[in-house]
Amino acid sequence: MPTTHTLLLCFPFFLLLCFLLYWAGARYSYLRRPAAESGDAAAFDWHFFVPCRDEEPVVGTTVARLRAGFPRAHVWVIDDDSDDRTGAIVEELAAEDGRVHLVRRRRPDARKGKGAALNAAYDALNRFLADTPDDPARDRVVVCVIDADGQLDPAALTRVSGPSGLGDPEIGGVQVSVRMRNVEERTPMPGRGRARNAAARLLVRMQDMEFSVSNAGMQLLRTRTGSVGLGGNGQFTRLTALDRIAQAERRPWQQGALLEDYELGLHMILGGYRVTHIAETWVSQEGLPLARRHLTQRTRWAQGNLQCVRYAPRIVSSRHYGGRGVLETLYTFFQPVAHLATLVLTGVMLAFLGLAAADEGAGTVLGRVLALWPLLIALTAVSVLPFVLWGPVYRRDRAPGRSLLVSLVWGLALWLYAYHLFPASARAFVRMLRGRNGWAKTRRNAERTLTGGPVAVES
């Protein structure tokens, strides 16, 4: 039987091996991805869902951009009981444009999470279609979720309509790539010093790098395993797929879910549809320049991952998930658990070293550790290089004007950036233990331009 010490020693190596295998699959999938063919966007009826809470600074621009870029589409703005003029702005736009719709929500029914807001739009869309003369075929209707600050690639509908997307009747959902729109902004924090702005620029750059290459590679790997996850921005779904989920679950999006977008994808696959990712098109959003907002957002995502663990038995027993899909999905579910276990294990190992130093002398213990320097260097290399190697790929696809050296520095920064997952996972566990499962809106950068107006804050 293996001893406790042996298990403690093997566990980090096991986690590292899992990470390296996952990284290798994501990188291969990204670099060898086939080009997505375009399709006929006119074959579908498009409806954009834009959930809003206190989005006065951005909502008017977002609606105008969607209507100008996609004139055949309808735009449904869900005002989740905003305290500012969000609802009034959209109401004025809707009075002038029959393809702009306002879905008003009021407390106590409002502010129960993004999933609840999207379900309200789903109900409103159903009523609209029922009242429309020559009710369009529901299998032609596509719903796209866009954040209140989201900007969609003008070619997105054509790409999503292609044979690798909704042109395939077995595909119920498509997720497009995500980019950070403010990645080249020189002063993301106006009025602050040069050092603060440099740190903010780097944080935004890391988010852009994370989403546009690293996460895109992960999603493209999932297209091979049959476990693509839907995101909250740039999420395209067939109305008939939402109907099937609503029939089984009473509503498409799960109320109270912190990852309502990812859970929608799980339900879609469990219901027999396929979900895919198209990297050739994109939606842009604002990267977060403040570490506190970023950590709050990632804590919510980590807690949402933990909520998804309840789906594990259904996924393991589902005939719609293959073996690779089951493994990939469980790996995703348990990432926060692995991060917390790593923190605990690090503490245990440091405690052991401290006890040994007290018993044998600090010099003796330090000598033993230094004697392992070849192993430590090798472990550091295989831990850091996967992140560094994303740098040149990101430079090629997103920043061709930058030097190779800069891209390698970005890759090294991405390695350091990844450590935010550990405090985020720890905070997620603490929130769960305290029974705090509320959904919190991440503040927009544009909210800093408001003077005296209400601002939705994160908890």
Side-chain angles (χ1 to χ4, degrees):
M1 293 291 290
T3 65
T4 301
H5 288 77
T6 303
L7 291 174
L8 290 177
L9 183 63
C10 291
F11 184 70
F13 290 95
F14 172 74
L15 290 181
L16 179 59
L17 177 62
C18 291
F19 162 72
L20 290 174
L21 289 173
Y22 200 86
W23 168 82
R27 184 177 175 83
Y28 178 86
S29 299
Y30 185 88
L31 295 177
R32 300 297 180 90
R33 66 188 185 276
E37 298 179 29
S38 298
D40 180 14
F44 301 96
D45 297 319
W46 305 90
H47 293 261
F48 293 107
F49 283 6
V50 185
C52 292
R53 177 186 155 198
D54 296 341
E55 300 285 9
E56 179 181 340
V58 296
V59 66
T61 301
T62 298
V63 173
R65 185 179 292 113
L66 288 173
R67 288 294 298 121
F70 312 99
R72 292 182 56 252
H74 289 260
V75 179
W76 298 78
V77 179
I78 310 101
D79 175 23
D80 205 25
D81 202 4
S82 298
D83 290 323
D84 63 5
R85 296 190 65 255
T86 296
I89 292 171
V90 179
E91 190 172 36
E92 293 170 2
L93 294 172
E96 300 174 357
D97 186 342
R99 289 181 179 263
V100 176
H101 312 269
L102 173 63
V103 180
R104 286 192 180 275
R105 290 172 54 74
R106 291 287 182 261
R107 280 168 281 192
D109 297 324
R111 300 198 177 189
K112 293 185 176 180
K114 189 175 178 180
L118 292 171
N119 286 329
Y122 170 76
D123 293 338
L125 174 58
N126 281 332
R127 292 191 295 270
F128 172 80
L129 295 177
D131 294 339
T132 300
D134 301 323
D135 187 8
R138 294 180 75 84
D139 58 1
R140 284 176 46 94
V141 178
V142 177
V143 169
C144 175
V145 178
I146 296 289
D147 281 356
D149 67 334
Q151 294 184 17
L152 194 61
D153 174 16
L157 304 192
T158 301
R159 291 287 193 181
V160 171
S161 303
S164 59
L166 296 175
D168 182 345
E170 294 185 359
I171 290 178
V174 176
Q175 178 62 46
V176 302
S177 288
V178 177
R179 299 177 179 179
M180 300 302 121
R181 185 168 59 255
N182 54 334
V183 70
E184 298 293 346
E185 188 175 350
R186 298 303 301 167
T187 55
M189 300 180 66
R192 304 295 179 91
R194 296 175 65 179
R196 290 291 298 276
N197 272 286
R201 286 198 303 271
L202 183 61
L203 179 58
V204 174
R205 177 72 66 179
M206 291 302 98
Q207 292 167 69
D208 189 54
M209 194 170 178
E210 173 190 24
F211 276 92
S212 60
V213 292
S214 179
N215 284 5
M218 178 180 67
Q219 288 279 57
L220 291 165
L221 170 63
R222 289 170 171 175
T223 62
R224 296 169 179 265
T225 61
S227 53
V228 172
L230 291 175
N233 197 13
Q235 166 197 124
F236 291 81
T237 55
R238 293 184 191 275
L239 183 59
T240 49
L242 299 179
D243 292 340
R244 184 179 296 183
I245 297 171
Q247 186 176 11
E249 306 290 336
R250 294 184 300 134
R251 51 188 175 259
W253 287 273
Q254 296 303 294
Q255 188 161 317
L258 296 177
L259 285 183
E260 81 297 323
D261 43 15
Y262 185 73
E263 289 194 24
L264 180 73
L266 295 178
H267 283 290
M268 199 164 288
I269 298 172
L270 288 169
Y273 280 101
R274 288 167 45 216
V275 180
T276 193
H277 179 85
I278 296 180
E280 282 76 14
T281 188
W282 47 266
V283 63
S284 70
Q285 63 190 45
E286 287 184 321
L288 301 176
L290 289 175
R292 179 175 175 271
R293 292 187 194 176
H294 180 263
L295 183 59
T296 297
Q297 180 193 69
R298 299 313 170 93
T299 298
R300 171 162 57 88
W301 292 0
Q303 190 174 355
N305 260 17
L306 294 171
Q307 288 181 339
C308 289
V309 171
R310 70 184 187 274
Y311 290 103
R314 293 176 61 181
I315 289 169
V316 170
S317 61
S318 173
R319 62 187 177 88
H320 300 298
Y321 274 89
R324 293 186 302 173
V326 169
L327 288 176
E328 191 284 323
T329 304
L330 295 182
Y331 178 83
T332 299
F333 285 177
F334 288 100
Q335 281 297 291
V337 178
H339 298 144
L340 187 65
T342 301
L343 286 175
V344 172
L345 183 59
T346 300
V348 170
M349 287 184 169
L350 290 175
F352 281 160
L353 288 175
L355 292 173
D359 185 46
E360 304 176 30
T364 301
V365 174
L366 180 60
R368 289 177 181 174
V369 173
L370 292 177
L372 298 173
W373 67 266
L375 176 62
L376 295 176
I377 291 177
L379 288 176
T380 301
V382 298
S383 299
V384 176
L385 278 177
F387 295 95
V388 174
L389 291 176
W390 278 122
V393 176
Y394 176 76
R395 169 180 174 258
R396 182 196 69 182
D397 294 347
R398 293 282 293 129
R402 301 301 181 93
S403 69
L404 176 61
L405 178 60
V406 167
S407 73
L408 293 174
V409 172
W410 284 342
L412 184 62
L414 185 66
W415 166 63
L416 296 172
Y417 166 81
Y419 280 93
H420 79 267
L421 296 170
F422 294 96
S425 297
R427 293 180 79 229
F429 273 98
V430 171
R431 281 179 57 87
M432 290 191 70
L433 291 175
R434 295 177 62 186
R436 296 181 62 186
N437 296 308
W439 182 88
K441 169 190 175 289
T442 304
R443 289 176 58 183
R444 305 287 179 211
N445 301 336
E447 287 173 352
R448 66 179 178 235
T449 63
L450 287 179
T451 55
V455 172
V457 298
E458 55 270 353
S459 60

